[in-house]
Amino acid sequence: VLFAVPVISAMAQEVVVEEIIVTAQKRAENIQDVPISITAFSGDFLVENGMVSIEDVSRITPNFSVYSSNRLTIRGIGSSGNNAIESSVGVFIDGVYYPRPRSVIGKLLDVETFEVLRGPQGTLFGRNTVAGALNITTRNPLEEASGTIELGIGDYDAYELGGMYNAALSDNVAARVAFKYVDRDGYGTNTHDGEDFGARDDLVARGKVLFDLGDRLSLLVTADYAEINSEGNAVELLNSTRSTVFEAITTALYGSSPVTEDSYDWKINQVHLDGFKDEQRGVSLDINYEYGNAMALRSITAVREWQADNTDLDVRLPASLAPGSTRFQTDTFSQEIQLISPAGNTLDWLAGLYYYQEGYDIDETRSAGDSFCDPTISAISAPLGALCLASEQEKANVITFSQELESIAFFGQLTWNISDTWDASLGIRWSADRKNGDFDDQVNNPVVTMIHSPETTLGMKRDDSKTTGFANVNWYVTEDVMLFATWSTGYKSGGFNSNGGAQPLGEDRRIFAPEESTNYELGVKSELLDGSMTVNATLYRTDLDDFQDLGFDGLSFVVINAGKLRQQGIEADINWAPIDPLRIVAGVSYLDSEYLSFEGAPPLPGGTAQDLTGERRNLSPEWQTSLAADWTQSFADGLEWYVGASWSWVDEQNVGGSSNNNPQSMQDAFSFINARLGLRSADGDWNVTLFGNNLSDEDYCQAIFDQPIGGLFGAVDAVNNTSVQRCVLGAPQTWNLRATFRF
């Protein structure tokens, strides 16, 4: 969707849609001239509509979704966040690759443009992706001094403070700093201990210094820091999957069961220890040099670090069983060099070199907990309970995983401007990834082996390389209508399972194979009604071989290669400014999903491996649609009022964490309604806006998964292949009042 403020043409006095400039092809271009499936948002639009996170953006973007804050999907394809697995959706901020989705779930800050690129990206981007990419650009320093102050309050004792200041430090040096801090209380109440839970605070800051060293050379230095402290989400038991056996056993052992009256009311009855602290920091150097013939050389050097400290109680019962703490740490270094030809010639081209190095470490420790040995194990066997109590309690299970990745790639793309109406492009990429990994799972309490298996697999290696390509032709049928056809391939290297589990995997199953994608697109981009409307649509088919997905073994998630998958359909974006005060935006996508082959798929609860060939993939809703409208009106000298609303609808889909297509993991279709009402000065010096989110207070699950170690508590019905299910709730209805002052 091309979201933009309608403006008045100086000559014709007609309402037209403002031009949005994107950098998807490494050149500043009008989005309507870019022959790929792309949705773009200006930073001003995000701020005006209260969109403060990537999840907010996904609600109004066809075929783009965020699940449980750690899985990004495009066209139903995505990877889980914290496993040692490459992301299917690449995230690039100011040209720098961010490897873990959890590292980008904080608040958006000082954004210039937000671009969602669908389909494999590799011949123009440093890191290859199989499904698509997010290309986010933040604002650079300017010569003129300016600043903003942002204040906000909301329900759940929410408050926020932010600001930006831009200034010239000398004739050839400018700097820009921005920050935002947001804090709120939790949405949930725990009837087990009477405490509230779910509080969260976010801090994000960025500083940029731009050195203009003449007509040809510029240096941009960027440093950023972000931190999230959260008490976790509500993970409720779905009453539709209740088990009398499970309730009877847990009540007999602990005095009550985790069942509550309403599965969607943010009330739980269980020990809740969930919490995470995410920290990331990075520094990048972006050097641009323009030769005398207008050829450009760009170098992007970046060092980044991400740490996440998680605490959890996965079993989620009214007792302390196997509480755990996990530290994730990623350290990366990347170097990208691009050589870009002058624009507007018969042949436009780009050539690039990319080097990437990553170290990823996961350290997990689980204690037995107050109620594991007694009464849980003692109820099974008194001698076993005594043995459990006599053995290690604090470090009953210790898992360490480490991975070193080194990657190099050469990529390039050539565009032949055949005529004023025809263009053709060819791109190629060669990637090589080398990985080394070690996994060690120590079980220090022998009774823990009843539910968890020790395993040591050291010296794992993967050495993968692949050539991928891109071909595109586009034809301007008229000055305002372009047709395009695209073929592209993507690639994601193999890797190592980083989780322990109920069964030892061994080297054969702990190492998984690469994933490859082939994508076909037919599209149209058009400007209609004298420029007051844009209509863009893409018909696509994406085939994936050895798709990397997750299975659940009763305790943890295991990466598997899921055979062949086909995702195909259509996505369309419409933006219309019929009159000066009004803009209307709509988006719709249809997704037909099918496993072309998936023998040996993860079993249903209590069952055996199954064949899902011909079945639909999880996280692939058939339909998604959104509609937004904004009205701005002057009502007094120097004042404007504005009102806006957005509605998004997601079709029913399986949101199960495992790719076993458990019918219990189906999420019904639901709608999401946001609205805003505000007042501002005509010169833009200040504005005050009231935002309402999820106004219909929709109940929905971001993710659904089996009750952990449910077999031990009678949660699994092996006859009917069902299990008690857990739901990760989406946010409830909220409101916020924000004020911005500019100087």
Side-chain angles (χ1 to χ4, degrees), residues 232-252:
N233 290 323
V235 183
E236 295 215 38
L237 187 147
L238 282 177
N239 286 344
S240 60
T241 67
R242 291 174 60 173
S243 161
T244 56
V245 176
F246 174 73
E247 293 176 45
I249 291 176
T250 53
T251 301

Side-chain angles (χ1 to χ4, degrees), residues 470-487:
F470 171 88
N472 172 275
V473 61
N474 60 277
W475 172 41
Y476 283 89
V477 182
T478 68
E479 184 179 353
D480 298 324
V481 178
M482 177 181 69
L483 303 178
F484 65 89
T486 299
W487 167 89

Side-chain angles (χ1 to χ4, degrees), residues 237-517:
L237 187 147
L238 282 177
N239 286 344
S240 60
T241 67
R242 291 174 60 173
S243 161
T244 56
V245 176
F246 174 73
E247 293 176 45
I249 291 176
T250 53
T251 301
L253 288 172
Y254 314 119
S256 65
S257 82
V259 177
T260 59
E261 293 183 4
D262 186 343
S263 298
Y264 303 96
D265 62 357
W266 282 81
K267 292 182 180 180
I268 61 175
N269 184 50
Q270 59 201 35
V271 175
H272 180 89
L273 297 179
D274 287 14
F276 65 84
K277 178 180 180 179
D278 277 37
E279 280 188 279
Q280 65 165 312
R281 54 185 61 84
V283 178
S284 66
L285 175 62
D286 190 346
I287 303 174
N288 287 268
Y289 180 79
E290 185 174 305
Y291 294 93
N293 60 356
M295 185 181 299
L297 178 67
R298 186 182 186 188
S299 169
I300 306 173
T301 308
V303 177
R304 299 204 60 78
E305 179 186 80
W306 170 65
Q307 293 179 347
D309 292 300
N310 287 15
T311 58
D312 60 68
L313 192 69
D314 289 340
V315 184
R316 305 186 186 281
L317 299 177
S320 177
L321 277 76
S325 63
T326 308
R327 162 163 280 207
F328 304 89
Q329 177 153 343
T330 299
D331 298 281
T332 64
F333 169 80
S334 61
Q335 174 63 60
E336 182 172 354
I337 297 175
Q338 304 169 2
L339 188 62
I340 307 172
S341 72
N345 295 327
T346 302
L347 295 177
D348 294 335
W349 54 267
L350 176 145
L353 167 66
Y354 185 72
Y355 176 79
Y356 180 72
Q357 190 176 58
E358 175 187 315
Y360 190 32
D361 296 293
I362 304 175
D363 297 293
E364 179 181 354
T365 300
R366 290 198 175 272
S367 67
D370 296 339
S371 302
F372 179 71
C373 297
D374 185 37
T376 308
I377 299 301
S378 295
I380 299 173
S381 166
L384 276 179
L387 174 63
C388 183
L389 286 169
S391 302
E392 177 64 42
Q393 299 292 299
E394 292 302 315
K395 295 184 177 180
N397 181 211
V398 178
I399 301 174
T400 59
F401 172 83
S402 63
Q403 174 182 282
E404 295 293 330
L405 163 64
E406 189 173 32
S407 176
I408 190 169
F410 300 92
F411 59 95
Q413 189 165 306
L414 174 69
T415 298
W416 177 22
N417 300 305
I418 303 171
S419 67
D420 291 339
T421 58
W422 284 92
D423 299 314
S425 298
L426 288 174
I428 191 169
R429 177 192 184 90
W430 178 81
S431 306
D433 295 313
R434 179 174 297 173
K435 293 180 179 179
N436 299 295
D438 294 316
F439 176 83
D440 184 40
D441 187 345
Q442 297 293 325
V443 178
N444 300 318
N445 187 318
V447 180
V448 175
T449 57
M450 294 179 58
I451 58 173
H452 190 92
S453 295
E455 178 185 349
T456 299
T457 304
L458 305 178
M460 295 180 289
K461 296 182 182 296
R462 280 223 65 102
D463 195 352
D464 299 316
S465 62
K466 185 69 176 179
T467 300
T468 55
F470 171 88
N472 172 275
V473 61
N474 60 277
W475 172 41
Y476 283 89
V477 182
T478 68
E479 184 179 353
D480 298 324
V481 178
M482 177 181 69
L483 303 178
F484 65 89
T486 299
W487 167 89
S488 58
T489 58
Y491 166 77
K492 184 167 65 171
S493 62
F496 316 123
N497 268 293
S498 56
N499 286 344
Q503 301 294 329
L505 298 181
E507 186 167 320
D508 288 344
R509 292 182 61 205
R510 191 153 292 281
I511 301 176
F512 52 86
E515 171 184 309
E516 301 177 14
S517 63

